[in-house]
Structures are given as C-alpha cells and as structure tokens.
Amino acid sequence: MKQTMKNLYCYFVLILLFSISSCENNEDILEENIQNKTNFTIKKVKYNELIKNTIISEKINQIQGIKTKLETNKTIYNSIYDFFIATEEAVFIDDGISQSYTFPVYRLDQPVITENLVIYIDSQKTLTYLVDYGEDITTIKNKSKTELERNKVKHYLLDLDTSAMIGSKIVDPTLELVCIESYSWELVEYHEGDLTGGPLYEYGWVLQSSSCAWVSNGGGGGTSGSDGSTSGNDGSTGTTGGSGSLNGGDTVNTTPTSISDMNGGGSGVSLNQAFRDQLNEEQNECLNSLSLTQQRDIRNYINDLASTTNAVSIIPYFNKVEDFMDAACGNPDLSFDFYLSLLSPAYIDFSEIDTTTPEGQRLDCIYKKLTSSVEFRQLFEDTFGGDQDKINVKFRLQPNLLSVNGLPSDGNCTPTEVINGNYYTVITINSDILTGNLEKANILIAKTIIHEYLHAYLNLKYLDINQGTTLSFLSNLQLEELMYYYFTPATEHDFMFNQMIPVFQNILSEIISELLSTEDIADTNNNPITDANGIVIENFNFMNFYKYIAYEGLHNSQSYMNDIESNPIEKRKHIEYNNYAKNSSNDCQ
C-alpha cells in the first residue's frame, strides 16, 4: 500500500563529477546552470574528521551490530543488509536546515551497482537510508539530464532498532521510498586544498525528489506518522529505529558515489578492507606474513577491482587472491610472484631470474607475452581436460644446459618434494638460447616454456598414479620418454594430436604478433613450403607453423615416428616450418 507523505521533500543529490576543464566547451550552458543552482554546501570529508562526529560513529556501529545479528539468526535474516560500508571518506551535504553524510556501500556477491548509505541529521532526529541507483557509477555519470530523470532510484529507510528483532516475527525491516525527481546544477568542494591533486571544485547534478511515498517491505503498507513507525496489516508494528519523527518539510540530501570515486578516483582502499573483513583469522595471519611485494601487489589488484564495472560478482576475484595466499603460505620456501601467478597455469617463483641481465630481461619479456594469452592461463584444463589444479613452479636459468645424453638442451624440469608432501617443479631454461651462442627466436623460446609446463604437469600426474616412482627417475626423463611410460601407444597419439598440439596452436595464435616482427609476418606471403626440388607443397599456413614447431623435442615419441618421420611430405613440412621459426625475430620488446 502506498500513501503520500505530505510536505516531505527528499533531496537526493546526484554528483556526476564533471571537471571544470571538461565544461569549457559548454560555457553558456554552464553559466545558465550556475545561475539556477541552490544553496548547498557539498564537500568530501575524510575518515579522521568523520570519527569526530559521535552521531556518525554511533550510527555506523549500530549498523554493524544489526548486520551481525542478522547474519547469525536466519529467522530474521534480510538480504538488504548484506552490504559493506566504505568509511574512509564521505560526501557531506548541508542545505542550511539539515545535514547528510553519504558513504559508498558494496556487496560481494552481486553485480557492481551504485548503492549508498545516507545518514540524515537535523535538529530533532537522525535517519538512515540505503539508496540504490540500479546502475554502475560509470553509466550514471555518462547520462544526460533527461536520461537521469527516467532512472528509477530506490530509497530504503533502514530499521536499526535491534530490539525490534527479538521475537519470532519481524515486520517492515525496511521501507522503500518512491519520489518524483527533478535536477539542478551544483558546485562541489572536492579536495579542500589538501594537496591530493585534481581540481579543487567541480560541478555536478543535484537530484531534488518530492511527493515521496513509501512502500512497506514486510507486514503491509506503512503510513507517515509522528513517530516514524509503520503498521502492518496484522496489527504488528515496526519502527524506523527510534530516530525521531518524520516531520513535514524534512530534506534528505545524498549523492551517488562509489569506491572508485573515493580519494580522487579508484583508490579501492575500502574494497581492500572488505577483502580483509571476510577473511578468517588464519587467512589474515597468512596475508600479514606475505612479503611486502606480495602484499602490495594484492592491494593494487583489489584497488583495480574497485573501478571495474559490469562485473557479475567480486567473489571470484577474491577467491583467486585467497588461492594465491594458500599457495604462498603453504610453500614458505618459494616466493611466488602474484601477478605472474594470476596470469599463469601455475604459481610462479621468478625470484632467481635477474631481470637486470640481458638473459633475464628476455625471459621475463617472452614470459609476459605468454601471459597475455587466455589459452595459456588455462593450459592444463585445455590439455588434460576438466578442472585442473595449479602447480607450483620455480624458474631458473643455467648456461650450457645439457640433457642426460650430454646434448645441449633448451630446458628441463625437475620435481621437488617439500615437507608437507606437496611438490613443486624447477623449470630450468638454458640461458644460452636467450642471449648466448645458441640464441633462439622468440617463438621457439615461448614454445619451450609451454613444453616444459606440460612436462612438469605430466610428471605430477605420473606420480599420482605411480606412487613408487622416484623423483630422480622423473628428472632424467624427457617429455617424449615420459609420454611413453604414461600413455599406451593409442592414448599417446590421441593426447599429442587431439589435445597437446591444438593447445600449442591456440596459445601461439593469440600472441603471434607479439613474438614475430611485422617483417616476419609479411615474409610469410613470399615463403611457400616446398619440397627438396622446389615444388610447392603448400602456401605458408600459420596453424601448421604452430603445429610443426610444437613437434620439436618430441622426435622420439611413437606418434612422431609414425606420423611425421615415416611420411616424407610431413617430415619436409616439419623441417621447413622450423627453419622459418629459427630465422624469425629474437628481439622482444
């Protein structure tokens, strides 16, 4: 049931921050808007000033108390309270009669929409509202006046009286207000000259809402009254929190703001606090035990999430961070790089790679090219199918790296057991192929990294099904030899041609322009694949190019012997495509 609240004017302030410089091309419109503006004082207030206001501090504590009670008692649970409050900064609005403080709020399991907590204060009472704009902050800021007037904004009058929640039935825990809306243009004091950068003043919209009516959520429709209470159809009574009466002429001002607006945009400090708030004690101890670099990278990653729009949920991103923490704290002997691990099929320890050296710089450069491939990040799922766990990998460089046969080797991998029964793998890359006398092209080094990853993962799968296998036995096996032990001839063929080779093709195709120069790619039009007599077998085909370079290091596998070695045309294509790869770019930028 709806009933009009006579003489109640709710001013919900929409600060769509437009810098003065962005308005210079619309000076006439700007001047007209300024002439029509009302007498609001609007500014940002920092946390150290907010906590001095006892009314604000008490109200925030009251909200946290009711959230705790709702979370622990399912019979009085209400999803409207499932939010976190960003208290680092608020928007303060004073219209000469009343004041309001607007805080960003956010939810961990819902789309990123703009919601604000508004605390209204006048000489007689304090009221608390939750304002839901139904859209992300970027969409709101990009709307015109006409588009804004079409937007439906929901305003909930929060019931913060916890005593009303004792009992078997709760009536009207929230009241939704619906208002008629119009707009004016306002001046916002943004930085208060505190040297935080950016403009000191900006202009934005003020939404003036009038003819407000409320819709009761719970035991029936509510009515306006002297004590702010609501009466349900069954005669039971809810309350607005004992905050005072809803008198005619009340003015409530608010502004749509998000975490990305705090501290000049995109600071994400509050979302970092939300992340910590949802960790248990053990997880918080783990986070605190990480290196300063790891903690900084995690903070920065979460900061970036604060400015992300249209995300379905924050939780999957938080889960990735927690998974990294579990791996890092569970392997104290390793020093995982957060960002490389996030973009890799493994948790990566790059601590022994000296990126001040030419060889270290080149490995780092090529590896980061690989991380831009989505297929690379899900390497093990695409190769072995289903959900696959990340493995732990430490990278090393070594000159003059040899195989067990005493021949030069581009790379190898060695599984290592740690105290808790888990394993990590050391992938060693021959530094000579990066800058030495065996220097190889970018695409062949990228291929080697993928090759060693698959080798490392197959090692661990082999350990799972052969518990008596020794690590020294695996360390002496090349990937093609390991495949002989792991697969039957039939399953090896299926693995190579239907799973492994397509993965190489998918990864390399995503980053080919990063690995080859423009000249390299242009040259492919002039380099058909020919037989020994110069007769064209086929025009250059990039998918075949990826396939045939993926065979490198697999010459002794049964599948290679049957399908490539014994077929003169296939063997020729393998040789020609690899010759082209060897002569391609070795300059990584």
Side-chain angles (χ1 to χ4, degrees):
M1 180 179 73
K2 297 185 179 179
Q3 292 187 337
T4 302
M5 300 174 64
K6 297 178 181 179
N7 301 320
L8 175 61
Y9 292 88
C10 300
Y11 294 84
F12 293 100
V13 181
L14 226 79
I15 308 300
L16 308 183
L17 296 177
F18 300 106
S19 67
I20 295 176
S21 61
S22 69
C23 297
E24 289 177 352
N25 294 329
N26 300 288
E27 292 180 358
D28 294 338
I29 297 174
L30 177 60
E31 185 170 342
E32 180 182 350
N33 285 334
I34 294 173
Q35 290 173 353
N36 293 329
K37 85 179 194 67
T38 54
N39 295 318
F40 283 100
T41 299
I42 308 172
K43 62 183 180 180
K44 294 290 183 75
V45 182
K46 300 291 186 182
Y47 176 74
N48 58 356
E49 291 297 320
L50 289 170
I51 59 175
K52 296 176 183 177
N53 188 319
T54 56
I55 295 176
I56 299 299
S57 298
E58 289 175 0
K59 192 60 64 174
I60 294 294
N61 291 335
Q62 192 177 17
I63 293 169
Q64 300 292 31
I66 196 174
K67 280 168 53 64
T68 300
K69 187 163 188 176
L70 286 166
E71 289 166 0
T72 56
N73 189 337
K74 293 182 180 179
T75 63
I76 59 173
Y77 172 79
N78 190 287
S79 62
I80 200 70
Y81 293 93
D82 272 354
F83 59 79
F84 289 89
I85 309 167
T87 57
E88 283 74 17
E89 192 172 69
V91 179
F92 169 79
I93 306 173
D94 190 337
D95 63 4
I97 299 173
S98 65
Q99 300 174 335
S100 68
Y101 293 82
T102 298
F103 300 86
V105 303
Y106 44 88
R107 304 174 188 273
L108 300 183
D109 59 350
Q110 294 183 13
V112 180
I113 60 174
T114 305
E115 291 184 276
N116 296 152
L117 182 81
V118 182
I119 299 177
Y120 164 90
I121 305 171
D122 67 17
S123 60
Q124 298 180 356
K125 60 188 172 298
T126 300
L127 300 174
T128 307
Y129 295 85
L130 185 69
V131 182
D132 178 0
Y133 293 93
E135 298 175 304
D136 64 84
I137 195 69
T138 302
T139 300
I140 295 172
K141 287 183 177 182
N142 288 332
K143 283 193 170 183
S144 66
K145 180 178 185 294
T146 301
E147 290 170 328
L148 289 170
E149 289 175 343
R150 295 195 192 112
N151 188 46
K152 180 181 179 183
V153 180
K154 297 179 181 179
H155 320 297
Y156 297 97
L157 182 59
L158 297 185
D159 183 350
L160 304 180
D161 184 359
T162 56
S163 65
M165 296 191 178
I166 300 174
S168 61
K169 190 170 185 179
I170 304 302
V171 178
D172 293 333
T174 60
L175 301 173
E176 180 184 342
L177 295 174
V178 179
C179 308
I180 297 174
E181 301 157 351
S182 61
Y183 293 83
S184 67
W185 191 254
E186 297 296 334
L187 184 69
V188 182
E189 184 178 336
Y190 196 62
H191 285 296
E192 302 180 296
D194 57 2
L195 302 179
T196 54
L200 294 178
Y201 299 94
E202 295 181 328
Y203 290 95
W205 291 110
V206 170
L207 171 59
Q208 298 180 315
S209 299
S210 61
S211 299
C212 295
W214 71 45
V215 180
S216 174
N217 294 330
T223 61
S224 57
S226 61
D227 62 356
S229 65
T230 61
S231 178
N233 292 333
D234 60 358
S236 57
T237 301
T239 133
T240 60
S243 301
S245 62
L246 296 172
N247 296 323
D250 287 341
T251 299
V252 181
N253 308 306
T254 188
T255 171
T257 187
S258 71
I259 300 170
S260 61
D261 285 330
M262 294 294 95
N263 301 319
S267 73
V269 175
S270 298
L271 197 56
N272 266 291
Q273 187 58 52
F275 174 69
R276 277 191 172 271
D277 287 345
Q278 55 90 48
L279 297 177
N280 59 39
E281 183 178 354
E282 183 179 356
Q283 288 173 316
N284 267 295
E285 290 177 358
C286 169
L287 182 57
N288 293 332
S289 71
L290 298 181
S291 72
L292 295 179
T293 299
Q294 290 169 326
Q295 292 187 50
R296 178 205 62 200
D297 288 347
I298 288 173
R299 284 196 305 271
N300 290 341
Y301 174 72
I302 296 176
N303 288 351
D304 292 339
L305 293 179
S307 59
T308 300
T309 59
N310 300 322
V312 174
S313 174
I314 295 294
I315 287 179
Y317 300 98
F318 280 7
N319 289 343
K320 290 180 181 180
V321 179
E322 291 173 27
D323 289 343
F324 174 83
M325 289 164 47
D326 289 343
C329 293
N331 295 273
D333 293 336
L334 298 175
S335 179
F336 294 135
D337 182 293
F338 176 74
Y339 279 109
L340 287 183
S341 298
L342 201 67
L343 300 174
S344 298
Y347 296 109
I348 303 303
D349 182 344
F350 237 54
S351 60
E352 292 190 19
I353 305 302
D354 184 356
T355 55
T356 66
T357 65
E359 60 270 21
Q361 289 174 359
R362 189 156 181 240
L363 178 64
D364 183 61
C365 179
I366 294 173
Y367 192 91
K368 286 177 178 174
K369 304 295 185 188
L370 280 168
T371 63
S372 65
S373 163
V374 175
E375 292 288 337
F376 176 69
R377 300 173 206 171
Q378 54 195 43
L379 171 64
F380 301 138
E381 287 85 352
D382 290 345
T383 306
F384 298 101
D387 294 329
Q388 303 290 337
D389 294 331
K390 280 193 170 187
I391 63 175
N392 304 320
V393 171
K394 184 181 185 71
F395 274 85
R396 286 179 177 152
L397 290 176
Q398 180 181 321
N400 194 32
L401 185 67
L402 302 177
S403 69
V404 292
N405 298 321
L407 299 175
S409 176
D410 290 351
N412 65 33
C413 68
T414 304
T416 303
E417 186 173 9
V418 293
I419 296 174
N420 59 7
N422 293 325
Y423 295 89
Y424 72 88
T425 296
V426 176
I427 291 180
T428 304
I429 302 296
N430 190 342
S431 58
D432 294 335
I433 70 172
L434 295 164
T435 58
N437 56 357
L438 297 176
E439 185 174 4
K440 292 195 172 183
N442 295 335
I443 195 166
L444 294 179
I445 294 171
K447 185 275 305 181
T448 296
I449 294 172
I450 301 170
H451 178 106
E452 294 305 331
Y453 261 127
L454 293 174
H455 191 173
Y457 202 80
L458 201 57
N459 271 340
L460 299 182
K461 290 181 73 70
Y462 190 73
L463 284 168
D464 285 341
I465 63 173
N466 294 275
Q467 300 295 328
T469 301
T470 64
L471 298 185
S472 60
F473 170 78
L474 290 175
S475 298
N476 290 323
L477 289 182
Q478 298 297 312
L479 177 57
E480 58 193 6
E481 295 173 308
L482 177 60
M483 290 167 59
Y484 170 80
Y485 287 102
Y486 187 82
F487 296 105
T488 65
T491 57
E492 181 204 75
H493 184 277
D494 178 72
F495 172 74
M496 274 191 63
F497 290 95
N498 296 329
Q499 294 172 249
M500 188 173 75
I501 297 300
V503 166
F504 275 93
Q505 290 174 312
N506 292 336
I507 294 173
L508 295 176
S509 67
E510 287 185 330
I511 58 173
I512 188 61
S513 62
E514 300 288 324
L515 299 174
L516 299 187
S517 68
T518 303
E519 293 77 12
D520 289 335
I521 294 174
D523 283 346
T524 61
N525 295 322
N526 304 315
N527 285 278
I529 304 303
T530 63
D531 64 15
N533 298 316
I535 298 174
V536 174
I537 299 174
E538 65 180 30
N539 290 325
F540 193 97
N541 181 295
F542 272 99
M543 294 308 284
N544 281 345
F545 175 48
Y546 311 138
K547 177 176 75 173
Y548 288 107
I549 64 175
Y551 287 140
E552 283 296 290
L554 300 173
H555 300 80
N556 295 319
S557 67
Q558 191 61 50
S559 295
Y560 180 88
M561 298 294 291
N562 293 341
D563 290 67
I564 308 299
E565 185 66 32
S566 61
N567 186 322
I569 296 297
E570 288 296 304
K571 180 70 177 293
R572 180 67 181 183
K573 288 196 285 186
H574 178 211
I575 292 171
E576 289 295 293
Y577 277 114
N578 273 275
N579 284 337
Y580 177 81
K582 292 173 184 177
N583 294 318
S584 65
S585 175
N586 59 5
D587 181 24
C588 187
Q589 300 292 333

